[in-house]
Amino acid sequence: MKCVEQVRSRAAAMLAALGMCAALAPAAATAAYPEKPIRLIVPFGAGGTTDILGRVLGQKLGDALGQSVIVENRPGANGNIGSDAVAKAAADGYTLLFAADATLVINPSLYRQLPFQPERDFAPISRIAVVPLVLVANPAVKADTLPELVKLGRNGDSRLDFGSAGAGSMGHLVGERLNRATSMKMTHIPYKSGAQAIADVVSGQIPLLITGLAVADPFLKNGKLKAIAVTSGQRFPGAPTVPTIAEGGVKDFDSPSWYGLLAPAGTPAPVLEKIHSALAAALQTEEMKARMVELGAWPVVDSRAAFAELIKQDTVRWSQIIQAAGITVQ
């Protein structure tokens, strides 16, 4: 009998030891993170703003983590295909998503069915960049300031078309928000790309465009376009003479675009914190700040909780704009 009790005791001790080892294994793996290269999924094609910013971030994040960060483009469906790939990836910190705000906070209201749900399927880490959009006009437009444009836009004799990179794009929605805030009646003209839209404004086919400041900058410098206002709440250091929409009389108007870093939901908190710390270190260098401004962006670091809350708030805000304007995508 005593022998049986000893066997049972030893078995229990072994089971307890095995349980402790099983519990310690994930903690040990987390502490050693990252032990292999990290994939950074950019859900848009190469060469665009999202891709350029993602590659700059990937290099600096890899330096801060001491591990390679490999950028992988997964374009399609306005960012939905690449985002879904991350949502379904292993939650171990080795697959990350570099997302534009449109994919996370606009697409849920534009598409009847998404293969992922942003709030359920992702663990937000931080925004990394805020990108002011700019309202630009062909030089022939008889308005140089926002108050002059608003006056023109309220005149029933003047048709004001504005272009964007497509139905449901951030440029489209900001234009609709500006319509509501000013009682203007600008008509949206969707394009397949920002390049096509800007070409038509330069040629005079349409009078107005809302686009990224970095995209418009060469045409502003050579006089083929003129800037009316930036959509951010403050002037951008790279274009200090361009006033904000709020300065043009539209109180509290602040609608820049932003980009952020996310991981699959369920990624261990210590891993998320390690990525967040590395991200903060990378973005706070003077070199990175200068490079961001060159690309038409402000570097920014949020707490994980603040970024998650921003996604919720922006989802609600843009869904109201989308519903009021009756915007749909095919």
Side-chain angles (χ1 to χ4, degrees):
M1 188 70 177
K2 184 176 180 180
C3 183
V4 172
E5 289 178 353
Q6 287 178 341
V7 170
R8 287 177 177 173
S9 178
R10 288 174 182 173
M14 289 179 64
L15 288 172
L18 288 172
M20 184 175 294
C21 289
L24 290 175
T30 297
Y33 175 87
E35 296 181 293
K36 61 182 181 180
I38 298 165
R39 285 194 309 159
L40 180 62
I41 303 297
V42 174
F44 293 94
T49 302
T50 311
D51 177 61
I52 294 170
L53 285 171
R55 291 181 184 280
V56 170
L57 172 69
Q59 180 183 348
K60 296 302 180 182
L61 184 62
D63 292 344
L65 286 170
Q67 186 59 261
S68 297
V69 174
I70 300 170
V71 175
E72 182 179 326
N73 296 94
R74 290 278 194 97
N78 201 21
N80 291 340
I81 291 176
S83 299
D84 185 47
V86 177
K88 293 177 170 58
D92 55 9
Y94 289 100
T95 303
L96 304 176
L97 173 67
F98 183 68
D101 51 358
T103 302
L104 296 175
V105 303
I106 293 176
N107 285 4
S109 296
L110 283 181
Y111 293 84
R112 291 183 179 179
Q113 288 187 330
L114 283 181
F116 60 89
Q117 293 182 19
E119 292 185 33
R120 181 196 67 192
D121 294 331
F122 297 115
I125 298 172
S126 176
R127 283 183 302 172
I128 71 102
V130 173
V131 180
L133 302 179
V134 62
L135 173 61
V136 296
N138 182 280
V141 173
K142 297 178 180 179
D144 297 322
T145 67
L146 185 62
E148 291 173 353
L149 187 69
V150 170
K151 184 177 180 180
L152 195 64
R154 289 173 177 170
N155 184 348
D157 297 330
S158 299
R159 177 184 169 94
L160 283 183
D161 293 336
F162 77 98
S164 80
S169 66
M170 186 58 74
H172 179 194
L173 296 189
V174 169
E176 297 294 354
R177 185 183 178 198
L178 188 58
N179 270 340
R180 294 182 68 192
T182 61
S183 298
M184 281 199 296
K185 297 179 180 178
M186 297 187 299
T187 302
H188 178 242
I189 307 296
Y191 284 82
K192 292 182 178 180
S193 72
Q196 291 178 341
I198 206 165
D200 271 10
V201 181
V202 168
S203 67
Q205 297 297 311
I206 60 172
L208 303 169
L209 172 68
I210 299 175
T211 189
L213 190 54
V215 175
D217 189 58
F219 301 94
L220 296 173
K221 288 179 177 177
N222 65 22
K224 292 184 178 181
L225 292 176
K226 59 183 177 182
I228 303 296
V230 292
T231 67
S232 50
Q234 57 183 312
R235 295 193 184 197
F236 183 66
T241 62
V242 182
T244 67
I245 287 177
E247 288 177 304
V250 185
K251 187 179 179 181
D252 298 328
F253 197 100
D254 185 8
S255 290
S257 187
W258 52 256
Y259 296 87
L261 187 66
L262 304 96
T267 300
V271 170
L272 296 175
E273 285 300 328
K274 186 171 284 191
I275 297 170
H276 188 277
S277 295
L279 182 65
L283 292 175
Q284 289 171 0
T285 64
E286 293 303 317
E287 177 190 359
M288 190 64 166
K289 291 178 182 178
R291 181 64 176 134
M292 285 286 199
V293 171
E294 287 178 6
L295 295 171
W298 281 292
V300 60
V301 179
D302 301 311
S303 69
R304 288 165 48 211
F307 186 32
E309 183 60 27
L310 175 69
I311 292 172
K312 290 181 181 179
Q313 292 177 356
D314 275 8
T315 299
V316 172
R317 178 173 66 161
W318 291 120
S319 70
Q320 293 170 346
I321 300 292
I322 290 167
Q323 291 174 12
I327 300 169
T328 59
V329 295
Q330 299 299 325

